[in-house]
Amino acid sequence: MKILLIIFVVVISTNCNPCQFYDLLTCADFLGSWKFVELCEKAHVTHEFTKGNDSKTLFLPSRGALDSIPPAIIEMMSKNKTFLKEVIMYHLVPQKLQCINMKDNSLLPTFQGEQLRVNRYTSEQDNKTLITVEGGEYMNVEDRTKNGRICVIHQVLYQIPTRTAYKYISEDRNVSTFLLLASKAQDLDTFKGPNMTVLVPDNAAFSKLAPGVLQNITSNPELLKGVLSNHMTDEVFFTKGLTHTRKFTSKSGMSFPVDVKEREVYVGSAKIINADISTLNGVVQIIDTVLVDT
């Protein structure tokens, strides 16, 4: 190990990329993500990251992201080795990519089986572009290794999408009122489209409406469709994208400002209370307020 560190220091001093001489996991260790290496060892998948010739891309969680894994997820990974393995392999793509050039809504195959979604967001204020991978921010750190590339992201991708937006909404009892309204408007197929964001008010949000408002919405088909459209867009907006662009333009044509207050993200007057539920066709954000003009 001492010899390896000496070589690493020498290579840096000569202004070279040290990772080009080593495999993906060794480079991950160099970059400070040693916890990811440990997880690979526990899952018995280190060989997947050390073999092969220049044909893979690892979306490597940053050290900060690894330190921020919720305790419940750590416990699940500790008890369920299958889950741990799936999480690890979801970060590995069987392609060599130039991450800075990834296109919006690219769907990348993974060794886990499900696809990774890439999004690009450009701010109208300063024209800066933000890239996310399943909602996790790409940190503009990219290294070439002897068997592929590493792209550092500020997130551990443990929420692997397995359902469409429609499937998620139809199975979550806490949003049954929204589902009922969509069914009444015969608008359920809308949730099955590609590349979409649905802001879903929970049942408590509807109970906060002023007396008579919900009845007025349900008795007026045009108003009902308009209210539902306020909560959807044909773009994929994870919270990082919302806070970067600072607005949400819905299918109804209404544009809602996005704000951050005490680390909470707001779209209009609605606070996102369950963020970045990745689906096979986009993302669902659960909100605490119905976006309707009353």
Side-chain angles (χ1 to χ4, degrees), residues 242-273:
L242 287 169
T243 56
H244 186 73
T245 59
R246 291 289 179 174
K247 70 176 183 178
F248 176 84
T249 302
S250 70
K251 292 186 72 170
S252 69
M254 290 191 66
S255 185
F256 298 92
V258 174
D259 199 6
V260 180
K261 304 173 185 176
E262 298 180 353
R263 298 187 179 183
E264 303 283 1
V265 179
Y266 287 78
V267 180
S269 58
K271 180 171 71 174
I272 297 178
I273 55 177

Side-chain angles (χ1 to χ4, degrees), residues 79-91:
K79 292 181 177 179
N80 188 335
K81 297 302 181 185
T82 300
F83 173 68
L84 172 60
K85 181 178 179 180
E86 289 196 346
V87 169
I88 294 297
M89 301 311 293
Y90 191 53
H91 292 76

Side-chain angles (χ1 to χ4, degrees), residues 81-135:
K81 297 302 181 185
T82 300
F83 173 68
L84 172 60
K85 181 178 179 180
E86 289 196 346
V87 169
I88 294 297
M89 301 311 293
Y90 191 53
H91 292 76
L92 189 62
V93 172
Q95 302 173 3
K96 184 178 72 172
L97 301 170
Q98 285 191 316
C99 298
I100 194 67
N101 295 326
M102 294 185 298
K103 295 181 179 180
D104 189 38
N105 283 315
S106 296
L107 295 174
L108 307 176
T110 69
F111 279 82
Q112 182 271 339
E114 297 294 348
Q115 295 177 312
L116 284 174
R117 180 181 293 275
V118 175
N119 289 104
R120 300 178 69 97
Y121 305 101
T122 301
S123 170
E124 292 183 356
Q125 296 177 345
D126 56 18
N127 207 38
K128 290 183 178 179
T129 297
L130 171 76
I131 299 174
T132 64
V133 180
E134 286 297 325

Side-chain angles (χ1 to χ4, degrees), residues 105 190 193-197 232-237 249-251:
N105 283 315
T190 305
N195 304 332
M196 68 181 310
T197 301
M232 295 180 277
T233 186
D234 291 326
E235 298 180 70
V236 178
F237 278 104
T249 302
S250 70
K251 292 186 72 170

